[in-house]
Amino acid sequence: MPSKADLHIHTVCSDGRLTPQQAVEQAKEKKLACIAITDHDTCKGFYEARAKAEELEIELIPGVEITSALGDKEAHLLAYCFNADTDYLESFLSRQKLARRKRIKGIIETVNKAGVDVDYDEVWAEANGANIGRPHLARVLTQKGYVGSPKEAFIRYLSDKQLGTIKNYYPDYQEVIETVKNAGGACVVAHPGRMYSSEEMTKFIDAGIDGIECIHPSHNYQMQKKYTQLCEYHNLLMTGGSDTHDGINAGYSHFGVITVALKHVESIKRMTKQRKNITEIKN
């Protein structure tokens, strides 16, 4: 029986290349037992994948990667096993969509000052209805010949270092954590890697974060060990996944390779079941 899960997958509903249905098919092919589609600030991929997951007997848990503000920087928080059949989280995410549009306009303005000619409509067209983000701008810069690849676009123009301070319209990380919990879900720090100082990780923990994504392609063994020990010390959930953005015909992909054991999914489900029961009692 398959015993692995990939809890970090992106689809065409945000900045990935797979359709939600293809993500489920890939999971079946790679013998995964469970996946979470975690598109940026939208649950659309989860809803679109449910029928295919049921057909192929792949467990699909609700997931989304929510963008928040931690001081002047972006902080990405993963939400799992929230109540997906109410509009509580969806109404929150609709505001996130507007925040993403405002933010990308600021990024485009900054890039244009660096001598690049690109406008919002081009990037919006590239997103094709998905939640817009920097990867879509990177693809436009590649198509227009300013760079040789999206990766080069991030190095030359789109990294946090190159962009400097861009006005952030996202909610504070504390608000996101509270919102996810109120929806009966678990909130997890995504790919902390070298992104956060020890003091910043302490802020997440003090705010009531439920877990940390310990297993991620950007984490070497020392980082995995560091964050696993942090989870054990603070009794936090440990999650992980491929963070795949690849399409169906990609060469090497972390999808199906960077995984976590099913016991971690069961831990998320136990915690969120208890949380939903408490929330129902309060209401």
Side-chain angles (χ1 to χ4, degrees):
M1 290 286 292
S3 60
K4 298 293 184 180
D6 187 335
L7 303 181
H8 198 157
I9 297 167
H10 293 279
T11 74
V12 294
C13 294
S14 62
D15 56 356
R17 295 290 198 180
L18 294 170
T19 67
Q21 294 81 4
Q22 287 172 337
V24 175
E25 290 167 351
Q26 287 277 77
K28 186 71 173 180
E29 181 181 321
K30 296 183 182 295
K31 296 180 170 57
L32 295 176
C34 174
I35 63 170
I37 291 176
T38 53
D39 280 311
H40 294 286
D41 299 308
T42 178
C43 301
K44 185 179 179 182
F46 164 74
Y47 295 123
E48 292 189 3
R50 285 205 285 192
K52 180 60 70 172
E54 184 176 351
E55 174 191 334
L56 297 183
E57 299 182 327
I58 297 292
E59 183 176 11
L60 177 70
I61 64 171
V64 60
E65 184 171 0
I66 303 176
T67 315
S68 69
L70 175 64
D72 292 331
K73 68 168 67 172
E74 285 186 17
H76 289 198
L77 302 176
L78 292 158
Y80 296 112
C81 291
F82 44 85
N83 191 336
D85 295 315
T86 71
D87 62 0
Y88 177 81
L89 192 60
E90 278 298 305
S91 62
F92 173 81
L93 293 177
S94 67
R95 299 194 297 274
Q96 288 288 93
K97 192 170 186 177
L98 179 60
R100 295 187 72 85
R101 291 177 186 175
K102 290 181 177 179
R103 173 112 172 134
I104 199 69
K105 287 177 179 177
I107 292 172
I108 290 169
E109 183 179 334
T110 300
V111 169
N112 283 337
K113 289 177 181 177
V116 170
D117 181 19
V118 62
D119 62 43
Y120 176 78
D121 288 342
E122 291 176 291
V123 184
W124 178 247
E126 175 62 28
N128 193 31
N131 261 9
I132 198 167
R134 278 185 283 183
H136 300 117
L137 175 54
R139 292 172 196 168
V140 172
L141 294 178
T142 304
Q143 292 161 10
K144 298 186 78 169
Y146 288 108
V147 292
S149 67
K151 182 178 180 179
E152 184 185 349
F154 272 88
I155 293 171
R156 292 184 58 186
Y157 298 107
L158 301 178
S159 68
D160 291 339
K161 180 179 179 181
Q162 293 296 331
L163 288 172
T165 301
I166 305 289
K167 186 173 181 179
N168 200 330
Y169 298 90
Y170 297 117
D172 185 82
Y173 68 97
Q174 294 168 303
E175 180 184 348
V176 173
I177 293 171
E178 182 180 1
T179 300
V180 172
K181 288 185 173 183
N182 285 342
C187 197
V188 174
V189 180
H191 44 62
R194 297 184 177 89
M195 293 184 66
Y196 309 116
S197 64
S198 295
E199 291 76 16
E200 288 170 328
M201 289 301 294
T202 298
K203 286 183 178 180
F204 287 127
I205 293 168
D206 289 345
I209 201 74
D210 293 310
I212 300 172
E213 186 176 44
C214 301
I215 310 300
H216 186 270
S218 67
H219 293 181
N220 57 27
Y221 174 75
Q222 287 76 19
M223 286 182 185
Q224 290 183 21
K225 184 177 179 180
K226 170 186 174 181
Y227 292 117
T228 299
Q229 290 175 340
L230 191 61
C231 287
E232 291 172 347
Y233 182 81
H234 291 282
N235 194 27
L236 300 173
L237 299 169
M238 188 189 89
T239 73
S242 64
D243 198 2
T244 186
H245 290 73
D246 300 323
I248 196 73
N249 294 316
Y252 175 77
S253 173
H254 294 296
F255 193 172
V257 178
I258 307 296
T259 60
V260 290
L262 276 182
K263 66 179 182 179
H264 298 297
V265 177
E266 295 305 316
S267 295
I268 296 171
K269 288 160 65 177
R270 280 196 301 272
M271 171 186 278
T272 54
K273 182 179 180 180
Q274 293 173 350
R275 183 163 288 161
K276 290 182 183 73
N277 288 339
I278 294 170
T279 302
E280 286 175 7
I281 292 171
K282 284 182 178 180
N283 293 336

